Each structure stands twice: as structure tokens, then as C-alpha cells.
Amino acid sequence: MRYAQGGGLTDAGRAARERLRLQAVERFEGGQKNGEIAAGLRVSERSVERWRRAWRERGEAGVLSKGSPGRPRLSDKQIARLERELERGPLVHGWADQRWTLARVKTLIGRLFHVSYTVEGTWRLLKRHGWSWQQPARRAIERDDAAVELWKKETWPLVRAPRRPSAPGSSSRTRPGSR
């Protein structure tokens, strides 16, 4: 059975596969051969071999689902605490400026809850709970907007390269006039 386009199985799909493995365990205990089990359950022999090996090594617990392989989730209570801590600001948590970067939020989650997120996972967590990332405007403190506008209007047209002529050019590199 191939996985869905999104990657892994849903909770329902995982439960269905677990029921299938438990049916295989019943057949293992009944003494059936791998080929018979595979044909009866409509799975590959290779899967049945893997299940039998796991069953032999760890018993029924070896074929049970291990749950979602997804990233660890924070509880609603932890999310509320995270929101309170984010509102307190980065300075309170030891950073030198007032920017909450994804890396800083990731570090804060690790410090508070001992849960590891990736930077992308942190972004998705924030997005899922209606928060947005902020990107500061990178401008010098000394910037004079009026002087910039004046330069754009007066100086830039003088230094900008003139447009190329619209007449056809020459194919010769050495004698531009020849054709």
C-alpha cells in the first residue's frame, strides 16, 4: 500500500494498518506461512516478514503503531504560556534588541518546554495560532528621506546610463560600421 501524496498516514490510516498487523499476529500464532498471510491480507510478503520479525523480537508490542511521527505539539496551556512570554518581549529573555526572530522563538520554546522545534516548525506553529513574523525595516538611523528623494529626482537621471540606440547594430566585432 502506498502512502498518500502528503507523505505519511492519517490517524485513521495508521489504525487500519495496525489492525492489519494484529490480524497477521493471529495468523502467526495459528502457524500460517508468510505467503498465505500475505495473500489473505493482500499485502506483500516482505511486509509480513518484517511484521513476523518484529513480533518474534518484541511480541505483540512490536507490531503496534508507535503513533504519529510528526513534530511534538504544545498543549493549549503551553501555547497560552508561550504567548504570554512572547508579549513580555525579547529583552526580558536576555536578547539585546526587541526583535522576535524565528530562531529566538525556537530557543524560547526549548527553554520553557524542553521541546525541540525546527525553525520551519516554529514558523508553522506561529502561523497555526494566528501569529505572524515581523521583519524590521533595515534603514540607517541617520537616513534623511527628503535628501534621498531629492537625489532620486536630480542626481540619478544624470548618472543613469543612456539608453541604447534603437537602430540595428552590427554583427562585426571589429568593424561596427560594416554590414
Side-chain angles (χ1 to χ4, degrees):
M1 173 186 288
R2 292 195 171 257
Y3 292 113
Q5 188 65 27
L9 293 171
T10 62
D11 289 336
R14 219 176 351 274
R17 292 294 284 180
E18 183 177 64
R19 281 192 303 274
L20 205 58
R21 290 190 300 271
L22 291 173
Q23 288 174 13
V25 166
E26 290 174 9
R27 294 176 187 210
F28 296 154
E29 292 169 344
Q32 287 187 4
K33 300 211 180 286
N34 289 349
E36 296 171 11
I37 297 171
L41 297 178
R42 298 178 54 199
V43 296
S44 70
E45 276 192 62
R46 193 159 194 195
S47 291
V48 176
E49 290 169 9
R50 272 195 331 269
W51 299 343
R52 187 180 292 268
R53 189 177 335 110
W55 173 69
R56 256 193 256 118
E57 292 172 0
R58 291 171 293 194
E60 194 171 302
V63 296
L64 294 178
S65 174
K66 297 184 180 48
S68 173
R71 60 199 165 273
R73 303 243 187 245
L74 297 178
S75 68
D76 292 337
K77 190 175 180 180
Q78 290 172 321
I79 293 291
R81 181 172 176 211
L82 176 63
E83 187 171 353
R84 286 192 306 272
E85 295 299 325
L86 290 173
E87 287 172 357
R88 289 178 62 200
L91 290 175
V92 173
H93 294 283
W95 282 286
D97 58 12
Q98 283 288 0
R99 289 181 303 147
W100 274 122
T101 63
L102 290 174
R104 289 178 179 183
V105 175
K106 171 188 180 297
T107 303
L108 180 66
I109 291 171
R111 286 179 187 168
L112 294 175
F113 309 113
H114 306 288
V115 174
S116 178
Y117 274 84
T118 63
V119 174
E120 182 182 353
T122 304
W123 176 77
R124 288 182 179 178
L125 173 75
L126 294 176
K127 185 177 175 184
R128 206 169 31 246
H129 291 281
W131 299 322
S132 65
W133 59 279
Q134 305 290 310
Q135 183 169 349
R138 296 187 181 261
R139 292 191 176 151
I141 294 172
E142 303 86 12
R143 178 180 164 132
D144 182 3
D145 288 326
V148 170
E149 287 303 317
L150 183 67
W151 184 88
K152 282 184 192 175
K153 288 179 184 168
E154 294 180 3
T155 310
W156 176 242
L158 299 175
V159 295
R160 183 175 51 187
R163 296 187 70 156
R164 299 175 97 188
S166 59
S170 170
S171 61
S172 171
R173 296 172 135 222
T174 56
R175 297 183 57 197
S178 68
R179 226 173 156 5

